[in-house]
Amino acid sequence: MTQPATLPLLRPRDGSAGDTPIPAVSAAEVSEHARDAERVYASGVWSGLEPRERAAALLRLADLMQRDADVLARLECEDAGKPIRECVENDVPGAIESIRWFAEAVDKLTGQTTPAGPGVIALTEREPFGVVAAILPWNYPLAMAAWKIAPALAVGNALILKPADTTPRSVLHVEKLALEAGIPAGVLRVLPGTGSETGAALARDPRIGALSFTGSTRTGRAILSAAAETNLKRVSLEMGGKSPQVIFADALGYGEDLISQALECAFVTAGQNCTAGSRILVEASIAEEFTRRFVAAARALRVGDPEDPNTDIGPVINGDAARRMLAVVEEARAGGARVLLGGEEVPVIPGGHYVTPTVLDRVPADARILSEELFGPIVTIQTFTTETEAIALANDTPYGLAASVWSSNIDRALGVARAIRAGVVSINSYSEGDLTSPFGGWGESGFGGVEKSLRAFEQWTREKAIWVQLHR
């Protein structure tokens, strides 16, 4: 497939093209940028600074992002079709917080010494790779960029970042702000383009020492294969999910908090979220009551123009995505599933694809809807009668990114959380944790590292052991 000269940037809101097409970076240009980044890193203009000096520049970047928060929110809304309220209240503030947190954390990293004996000093330290890369998804372009920019730059790397081909503009704006903040030219470079050419070239470039990817499992496998065939660069992957929400009977005591958080877990960003709780597992004795309340709450969500602050559910990313997910719903219906709500597109703005919140139950065990990540506002409800059955259903997936468990019996909740095969499990809430908590998946959801927390620095540094023989 030949890469286009420019990226058309079709807005999910109405399918219209952006005013100014963005040039797509070719594979040859990726190689040139990697060589330039190598020179910038070797010059020491950034890598040679004290950690606190780099932190100060990143804090200035965060301040500038705060100044331009309205601009960044508008770009996220236009490019990704995300409701403007989500962008203003969650995505942009979260990205700014990430930049600040990692900037302030970088001088807290330490090595260690080992007890090698009186004539030796044995120590370890972590050093940057030099030139590193990141490839971003389209659903959280700014937030995912911040998770990668901040730790990668804080430790001294030069970072090449490829945004999704549909959502590059907020990240390109951050690149400009980085220069304004005093981060030297070439330390952060944003290369828009397609995954098949620009992304693949980054995965294969021998100058890149580490690459962090967020996106589909299929693409993650391709990146890992390319790294194995070339320079064996460090690869960390955060990929798909089919996350369960496990709800025990005593969770009804949490009242509206249970319903509202289960709803958010299922439908935030129109379900286009890697941790979306698309499989709701409910204890049979409360299934009827929970389902009634959940469906009523889902029906009340407003599907509308993403630029309207009152919108809860905006468009899905494009028509192909809408047709794919609704075809799977129809397949489940034909197999005997009951569609309690939705399962259709609604006309909101011509050219956009607005899928209604969709809830199914009585789904056959072999239906694709239970195993495939649909990345849309679609959830299934299944029932269980025992804790053992709940755990088996929760683990009936090759993915292992996230899960939530609801029970007022904390012993049971902890036991089930420990038994679920997932990297992030929240109890009596829907949460991915704050910046102090690591975020990463198991199985086909994750590989090679985590985002957030001090452990995120491990993606962007390598450990060196130093052995000092004393002569006295």
Side-chain angles (χ1 to χ4, degrees):
M1 181 181 294
T2 301
Q3 175 163 259
T6 60
L7 303 175
L9 303 187
L10 300 180
R11 294 173 178 168
R13 177 180 183 268
D14 57 10
S16 64
D19 297 332
T20 305
I22 304 296
V25 175
S26 69
E29 290 171 320
V30 167
S31 183
E32 293 173 8
H33 281 289
R35 280 195 297 268
D36 288 344
E38 198 171 46
R39 286 193 290 268
V40 169
Y41 176 77
S43 74
V45 67
W46 179 251
S47 59
L49 297 179
E50 296 292 331
R52 292 303 299 169
E53 294 179 285
R54 293 195 296 268
L58 287 168
L59 290 170
R60 290 193 296 271
L61 171 60
D63 290 342
L64 292 170
M65 291 170 65
Q66 185 67 61
R67 182 198 69 189
D68 288 3
D70 289 346
V71 174
L72 293 168
R74 176 179 56 80
L75 294 173
E76 293 278 281
C77 174
E78 290 178 357
D79 285 3
K82 298 171 70 75
I84 188 65
R85 189 175 72 237
E86 282 187 30
C87 301
V88 170
E89 296 180 359
N90 300 326
D91 294 19
V92 175
I96 294 168
E97 182 187 10
S98 295
I99 299 290
R100 287 182 173 146
W101 192 90
F102 283 108
E104 293 168 349
V106 68
D107 64 354
K108 314 303 187 294
L109 297 178
T110 60
Q112 61 180 342
T113 60
T114 58
V120 169
I121 297 176
L123 56 92
T124 65
E125 61 182 14
R126 301 198 72 88
E127 63 179 33
F129 280 94
V131 181
V132 295
I135 300 176
L136 303 179
W138 55 261
N139 59 332
Y140 287 91
L142 188 65
M144 295 299 96
W147 279 12
K148 300 177 193 299
I149 290 170
L153 295 193
V155 297
N157 291 296
L159 173 65
I160 299 174
L161 191 151
K162 192 201 90 65
D165 54 0
T166 55
T167 57
R169 292 193 299 159
S170 61
V171 186
L172 284 166
H173 190 77
V174 170
E175 182 184 34
K176 295 177 182 177
L177 295 183
L179 292 173
E180 188 177 346
I183 296 174
V187 170
L188 171 64
R189 57 189 72 204
V190 177
L191 306 185
T194 65
S196 60
E197 180 158 350
T198 312
L202 288 171
R204 302 191 71 85
D205 196 286
R207 298 172 186 83
I208 293 170
L211 188 152
S212 176
F213 166 77
T214 300
S216 72
T217 299
R218 178 178 58 83
T219 302
R221 291 182 191 276
I223 289 171
L224 192 59
S225 177
E229 292 170 358
T230 52
N231 66 330
L232 288 172
K233 60 176 59 66
R234 168 85 59 81
V235 173
S236 55
L237 307 172
E238 192 264 284
M239 301 175 289
K242 194 70 176 175
S243 302
Q245 302 188 61
V246 182
I247 301 170
F248 287 92
D250 55 6
L252 283 181
Y254 292 108
E256 287 309 307
D257 194 36
L258 165 65
I259 303 301
S260 65
Q261 293 210 42
L263 203 71
E264 180 183 8
C265 184
F267 297 125
V268 68
T269 314
Q272 299 171 124
N273 175 20
C274 56
T275 63
S278 57
R279 296 186 298 133
I280 300 178
L281 314 178
V282 187
E283 192 164 354
S285 62
I286 64 162
E288 183 177 349
E289 180 178 354
F290 172 86
T291 300
R292 174 180 56 79
R293 292 169 60 186
F294 182 83
V295 169
R299 183 176 285 113
L301 292 173
R302 179 174 177 178
V303 180
D305 184 347
E307 296 181 1
D308 183 344
N310 295 312
T311 290
D312 299 307
I313 304 288
V316 297
I317 189 66
N318 56 41
D320 287 343
R323 287 184 286 273
R324 175 183 51 79
M325 65 184 70
L326 292 178
V328 175
V329 171
E330 285 307 308
E331 182 182 291
R333 190 203 305 261
R338 182 171 63 167
V339 179
L340 303 174
L341 181 69
E344 60 187 1
E345 279 192 61
V346 291
V348 175
I349 299 173
H353 296 272
Y354 295 78
V355 176
T356 56
T358 300
V359 184
L360 299 90
D361 70 355
R362 302 179 185 173
V363 180
D366 60 350
R368 283 198 300 154
I369 199 169
L370 295 177
S371 59
E372 292 188 11
E373 184 182 37
L374 299 184
F375 229 56
I378 298 167
V379 297
T380 58
I381 296 178
Q382 298 168 270
T383 62
F384 63 86
T385 56
T386 67
E387 183 178 311
T388 299
E389 185 182 4
I391 293 167
L393 286 170
N395 287 335
D396 187 20
T397 174
Y399 295 110
L401 183 56
S404 56
V405 179
W406 286 84
S407 174
S408 61
N409 181 334
I410 195 62
D411 289 342
R412 174 168 58 192
L414 279 169
V416 173
R418 285 174 168 166
I420 291 176
R421 295 191 293 269
V424 179
V425 183
S426 59
I427 293 178
N428 298 331
S429 66
Y430 165 56
S431 179
E432 296 174 1
D434 65 11
L435 283 165
T436 66
S437 180
F439 179 85
W442 294 4
E444 294 186 13
S445 290
F447 175 88
V450 298
E451 310 276 10
K452 303 194 305 178
S453 81
L454 290 176
R455 287 190 53 212
F457 288 112
E458 295 172 8
Q459 290 189 41
W460 307 107
T461 58
R462 48 192 168 189
E463 189 173 51
K464 177 177 287 183
I466 300 176
W467 182 272
V468 182
Q469 182 70 54
L470 303 180
H471 296 275
R472 55 173 298 170

